[in-house]
Every structure is written in structure tokens, then in C-alpha cells.
Amino acid sequence: MPAPTTPVLLSSTPADLAPWRSTLDSFAAAAGDVPALLALSVEAGRTWPRPGEGRTAVLWELLASVAAADVAAARVLEPHLDAVAILTQARQAFPAVQPAPDGAADAAWGVFAAEAPHARLEAGSTAGGTTLSGTKPWCSLAGSLDAAVITAHTDDGGRAAFAVSLRHPGVACEEPAWIARGLREIPSGSVTFDQVPATPVGGTGWYHSRPGFAWGGIGVAACWLGGAVGVARDYRDGLLAAADNGREPDQLALAALGEADRTVAAALQYLARTAARIDDGTLGSDGNQSTWSEAQRVRGTVAAAVERVLCLVGSNRGPGPLAFDEPYAKRMADLALYVRQHHGARDDAQLGRLALKGDCPW
């Protein structure tokens, strides 16, 4: 049994997270066991806070805490919580519509919204309702999930989200050629749909235009940052272990730890401030600033912090731990792949276009 999980805090105290400590420990203990992680995720979806409902910082602290223990565990958890939040937001925005199939509360959910030139998923209308046909790329753990919120192209030329069962006979999950050394237990491949019944979630354009789209993107960044906290803790623990054996850290080793500390601390403070603004309704309330532009700033800032911590720790610890310390090597590989969900300069270019239009705080 791993040691008790040390929480990653934004604005809470350790006592504030006490109601979730046993669940955090359970996630750490289940690392590598995808069915167990999915079962824990379903339970978390029933009880954990949702973004924008007053405890956004707590949600991000919990996500970061799971990632600090095991990055891949957070990669299993985060999409399920995001799907639960999306369905809740749809019910609130469209109270006359039931946007989830029966048994949704007991299902393990994913969110599949990626696009690729070689794959296209179409939503069509029939006498019996909406069906999905085509191929969706980058569907992580599709073969292990029960259902998904998935985006598809609509007849009016837009895109919309739909809730769909992944157990329908018209769903075929490919066996992906997943050669990645990071996130090895979470393969991502394409899924084909053949006239699969689907329930609309919010209508054309709603999925990407709702504030929750930005909130969910920042939730992913909270997982990245939690992973970086885990890497920094590995480094600190390594220095302490070396000192216990008579090898005190030199100035370069201490400088790297100091830089990692301030890099992580600054990103944590940015997340805390953003969570508070989501909950008090001020994020995106300025007519010159959008919720999405702030999400891009947060994600870019966190991604840069993660990359810097990976570089600092990797270069200072050297090859030995990567070769012989399995938890550390796994964490480094998992995080390096996960943070690539940020598109680097391309996301900065999108933010630059927004800034050019005046969508900026300066």
C-alpha cells in the first residue's frame, strides 16, 4: 500500500481536503489498474465538486493530487469528471432535454472531441432520432468505457456534442498501435460508428461556446501541474536521500530545486486565482476578455511550467533514475506525453489572434 497521498493545494488547507483523502489514497493504490481506476472515477463523479459550482479550486486540487501520485490515474479520472460536468451543464442550460442515456450515473465516461484529416464523424437525423456514422480519432480507453460525450459534424455545417453508448453493436474500437512509453495503460485509437443512436447534448455550437469548455481545459492543466509537483517531489526526495548518505546537494542542485519551487508555486497561484474568478462569476465578465482567452493563458503558463520542471529535474537527476527508478521514470514519461495535449506555439498563435483583437488584460 503506498504512503498516504500528499495533497496539492491551491487555496485550501489539508483539513479542507480531509473528506476526500481516503479516495485520493485509493487512486494512488490503484495506479496501473485501469478497471479499478474507472470504478473510482465513477464514484468520484457522484460526489466530487464540479467546475463553476463554488468549489472549483477543490476540484482542481483533487485532480492535481491524483496526478502527483500517478499521472496516468489522473488521465483516467479527468475525462470522466469532464463528461459528468458537461451533461450537468447541458441539463441546466436545456432543462427540457435529457442529454444522457439511462444508467449514465453508473457508467464510465469519456470525452472524444479531437479531429483528424483522415477521420470524420457525421451526425444524421432519422425517423427514430439521431445516429452517428464515421470515424472518431484519439479515443482514449474507448474499449474500456461504457459511454462518451462525443463531437460530430452536423447537417447544418457545424459541430455538436452527443451522448452515446460505446456498448452498442455499431461501435467498433480499433486495437491501437500504441507504442508510447508514456501513458502505456491508456491507449488512444480510432473508433468507428455505424448508425449508432445518439442523444444530442446542447445543440450545434453549444459544446465549444459554453464557459465549461474553457473550465474543462483548465482542469486538464491542473492534472499537468499535479504531475509536475510529483516530479519536483521526486527530485527533493532524491536530494534528501543523498544527504542522508553523506552527499549534500551542491549549489547547482539547490538552484534547480529553487527554480522548480518558484515555477510550480507561481502556476499554482495562477490556478487558484482563476478558480476563484470562475466561482465568483468575474472570469470572462469583462467585455474585452473572454473565458477562452484566459483558459489559453492558464494552459500555456502551466504547460511551460511543466516543461521547465521536466527539464530541470531530468538534467539534474541524470540517467540513473530514468533507467532504474520505475515510478520516477514512469512519471516523467507519462507527463511528457500528457502535456503534449497543449499545442505549444499553435495555441500561443491562437491566443495572439485574440490579443490582437483586444481580448487581453493589458
Side-chain angles (χ1 to χ4, degrees):
M1 182 75 176
T5 303
T6 302
V8 177
L9 302 177
L10 304 180
S11 55
S12 301
T13 67
D16 293 332
L17 294 192
W20 295 280
R21 286 300 299 273
S22 63
T23 307
L24 291 177
D25 292 343
S26 295
F27 271 105
D33 184 344
V34 169
L37 291 170
L38 287 172
L40 287 168
S41 298
V42 171
E43 181 60 32
R46 298 190 186 105
T47 59
W48 284 21
R50 289 187 287 267
E53 296 185 0
R55 294 188 295 176
T56 303
V58 173
L59 170 64
W60 292 350
E61 287 167 335
L62 293 171
L63 285 169
S65 298
V66 172
D70 184 73
V71 174
R75 183 65 184 84
V76 174
L77 168 65
E78 185 278 326
H80 177 82
L81 295 184
D82 190 33
V84 170
I86 292 166
L87 296 172
T88 300
Q89 292 158 15
R91 283 192 294 269
Q92 293 168 346
F94 308 95
V97 178
Q98 172 54 255
D102 292 339
D106 298 320
W109 286 79
V111 179
F112 304 147
E115 300 285 340
H118 64 277
R120 185 178 177 90
L121 185 64
E122 301 276 0
S125 298
T126 68
T130 303
T131 61
L132 301 183
S133 294
T135 302
K136 194 68 173 175
W138 292 102
C139 298
S140 299
L141 288 178
S144 300
L145 299 174
D146 301 307
V149 174
I150 187 166
T151 58
H153 295 267
T154 53
D155 294 338
D156 55 10
R159 276 193 293 165
F162 301 87
V164 61
S165 170
L166 297 175
R167 304 299 187 186
H168 188 275
V171 176
C173 303
E174 74 167 19
E175 186 68 32
W178 190 247
I179 64 170
R181 298 307 186 259
L183 301 176
R184 295 187 72 172
E185 61 267 56
I186 309 175
S188 287
S190 295
V191 177
T192 58
F193 296 79
D194 183 11
Q195 298 293 307
V196 177
T199 304
V201 178
T204 300
W206 176 83
Y207 174 84
H208 291 98
S209 65
R210 65 196 162 87
F213 180 67
W215 304 344
I218 302 173
V220 173
C223 295
W224 300 340
L225 188 54
V229 169
V231 170
R233 287 172 177 171
D234 285 339
Y235 182 44
R236 183 186 59 193
D237 291 346
L239 293 180
L240 289 170
D244 287 343
N245 290 322
R247 292 184 289 111
E248 294 291 334
D250 61 17
Q251 286 290 88
L252 291 178
L254 290 172
L257 182 60
E259 184 177 347
D261 170 71
R262 61 179 172 81
T263 299
V264 168
L268 289 170
Q269 290 166 13
Y270 196 178
L271 275 178
R273 173 177 176 270
T274 305
R277 292 183 65 203
I278 288 173
D279 288 336
D280 68 17
T282 60
L283 185 66
S285 62
D286 187 323
N288 294 324
Q289 296 179 46
S290 66
T291 305
W292 181 240
S293 67
E294 187 66 358
Q296 286 286 63
R297 290 183 200 99
V298 174
R299 284 168 59 87
T301 298
V302 169
V306 169
E307 297 281 14
R308 185 56 183 156
V309 170
L310 285 171
C311 178
L312 283 167
V313 174
S315 61
N316 277 275
R317 291 201 77 187
L322 288 173
F324 300 109
D325 184 338
E326 197 278 335
Y328 167 75
K330 180 182 187 301
R331 194 188 322 277
M332 294 288 280
D334 287 349
L335 185 56
L337 179 56
Y338 196 3
V339 78
R340 288 278 55 80
Q341 286 189 0
H342 185 262
H343 301 123
R346 288 180 174 82
D347 279 353
D348 279 344
Q350 183 183 119
L351 186 56
R353 281 192 291 272
L354 294 171
L356 198 61
K357 298 175 181 178
D359 187 352
C360 58
W362 43 271

